[in-house]
Amino acid sequence: MLTVGGLVRCRVLQPRARDVLSRWASPVLPLTCTTESGVRPASGVGGASAAGGWYGSLSDSAPVHLCENFLVSAHQATGFPWWLSIAMATASIRTCITLPLAAYQLIIIAKVEALQSEISELAKRLRFEVSVRGRERGWTDKQSRVQFQKNLRRLVSQLYVRDNCHPFKASLLVWVQLPLWVSLSLALRNLSLDRPALHGELAAGGALWFPDLTVPDSTWVLPVCLGLTNLLILEVFSLQRVGASRFQRLVLNGFRGFSVLMIPIAASVPSSMALYWFCSSLVGFGHNLLLRSPTVRRTVGLPAPQSKTPYRDLLSAFISKYWR
């Protein structure tokens, strides 16, 4: 999904830990590099933004630099190797930020679903009242439909306000998770390619089949694991939807295709980015399973599941769909 710029060759002035910590208070302050022509930023002008355009501006933006500083600070504070620091940082961010939002999303969806029976009753009564009023005032069928739809929208909005469950709130997770994912991805890209002071650490900070985090995974193990994890998440989600509409099936197939497309994309970016994407998907899948637990659902105020053995039922449904 994200293109990878070239490596900036420069010498960083004073690459000490206190410089990194001082930049934490001012995330937009770039590293300085010396070249034959003078001093210039290490990431931004000499890196991705050299090509100009929106990608360069985005990779040199304040949120991306803030994520860079967070990753560096987490690595220095824990003392873990870079691959483990990336995995731990991913798990902590997803657990502290996106997990509560995912639980809140489920709460909103549950409230909206609980209102459907009440909305259906209101629609029946409103349709009768509009038909009576329409006969009294001589409305045409089109005018009656317009009046019915306008009043139904007003009543439904009042119900959403009453129960504090407007469906737009269910999209809050997307509006937070997507920018965070992009910012962390670009931050790892910048650290891997545009920070010479850290290039050596990241080059030796991998493990197993991906010892160098600054180059793509030549074995394609990380990309394939990423694709399989994303597909598994989608299939588990599809098992929850019984009798999906044609549009829902088209959307689901579109996401399946995108998950497959992510495999060659992840194989063309630094291993640090592919590792982050895989860890993020893996943690997200774990959170999805966690929110199925009856105990967790009671804790966050979600309706109890119909079954007391959701995991066993999920496994049975998965086996029944794909192995029988």
Side-chain angles (χ1 to χ4, degrees):
M1 180 185 298
L2 304 174
T3 57
V4 181
L7 174 64
V8 179
R9 297 178 180 177
C10 56
R11 180 171 59 87
V12 179
L13 297 178
Q14 300 177 347
R16 294 188 292 269
R18 62 173 179 269
D19 294 331
V20 176
L21 294 177
S22 66
R23 285 192 295 275
W24 175 259
S26 179
V28 297
L29 182 63
L31 292 172
T32 56
C33 305
T34 57
T35 63
E36 295 178 358
S37 58
V39 179
R40 60 179 175 82
S43 64
V45 175
S49 64
W54 64 269
Y55 177 78
S57 300
L58 184 60
S59 63
D60 200 31
S61 62
V64 173
H65 287 304
L66 183 62
C67 290
E68 291 178 25
N69 293 327
F70 167 74
L71 291 168
V72 172
S73 298
H75 171 66
Q76 293 177 340
T78 60
F80 293 151
W82 265 106
W83 71 269
L84 186 56
S85 295
I86 293 172
M88 295 298 293
T90 303
S92 62
I93 289 175
R94 294 221 49 166
T95 301
C96 295
I97 298 177
T98 61
L99 178 58
L101 291 176
Y104 180 69
Q105 181 187 57
L106 292 178
I107 292 173
I108 297 297
I109 293 174
K111 288 183 177 181
V112 171
E113 291 178 348
L115 284 175
Q116 296 309 306
S117 60
E118 187 173 356
I119 292 174
S120 179
E121 288 297 323
L122 282 174
K124 291 178 181 179
R125 283 186 287 174
L126 180 62
R127 184 175 286 106
F128 174 75
E129 293 175 3
V130 169
S131 65
V132 172
R133 185 65 60 87
R135 286 195 298 267
E136 292 175 353
R137 300 190 178 186
W139 290 344
T140 63
D141 290 342
K142 182 178 180 180
Q143 289 175 325
S144 297
R145 285 196 301 271
V146 170
Q147 289 296 325
F148 170 76
Q149 292 171 358
K150 182 176 69 173
N151 285 278
L152 183 61
R153 284 195 299 267
R154 176 177 57 82
L155 292 173
V156 170
S157 296
Q158 291 175 354
L159 291 178
Y160 289 156
V161 171
R162 185 196 69 184
D163 290 359
N164 190 25
C165 62
H166 195 283
F168 180 77
K169 294 182 179 181
S171 66
L172 183 61
L173 175 63
V174 176
W175 294 110
V176 173
Q177 184 172 337
L178 184 58
L180 186 62
W181 185 86
V182 171
S183 297
L184 282 167
S185 298
L186 290 177
L188 285 167
R189 178 261 170 211
N190 289 347
L191 292 177
S192 299
L193 301 179
D194 291 346
R195 294 292 182 89
L198 298 175
H199 187 272
E201 295 182 20
L202 284 163
L208 302 175
W209 66 90
F210 55 100
D212 189 347
L213 293 175
T214 64
V215 298
D217 180 7
S218 60
T219 65
W220 283 52
V221 174
L222 280 176
V224 170
C225 289
L226 169 66
L228 292 177
T229 303
N230 288 336
L231 287 173
L232 183 60
I233 293 173
L234 290 173
E235 298 314 309
V236 169
F237 174 79
S238 68
L239 293 175
Q240 301 175 234
R241 295 291 182 263
V242 179
S245 65
R246 183 172 180 271
F247 175 75
Q248 290 174 329
R249 291 195 297 269
L250 287 174
V251 172
L252 182 61
N253 289 331
F255 278 114
R256 286 169 175 158
F258 181 75
S259 298
V260 174
L261 180 62
M262 281 296 295
I263 295 177
I265 293 176
S268 63
V269 300
S271 296
S272 58
M273 292 176 64
L275 176 64
Y276 162 63
W277 293 348
F278 171 58
C279 291
S280 180
S281 295
L282 196 62
V283 173
F285 178 64
H287 290 168
N288 184 292
L289 295 179
L290 181 65
L291 290 174
R292 292 172 178 268
S293 167
T295 303
V296 173
R297 293 178 72 90
R298 285 195 302 269
T299 302
V300 300
L302 284 168
Q306 296 179 352
S307 172
K308 294 183 179 180
T309 58
Y311 302 119
R312 186 183 304 170
D313 294 344
L314 180 63
L315 180 60
S316 299
F318 194 86
I319 293 175
S320 176
K321 183 177 180 179
Y322 296 103
W323 273 278
R324 292 183 182 177

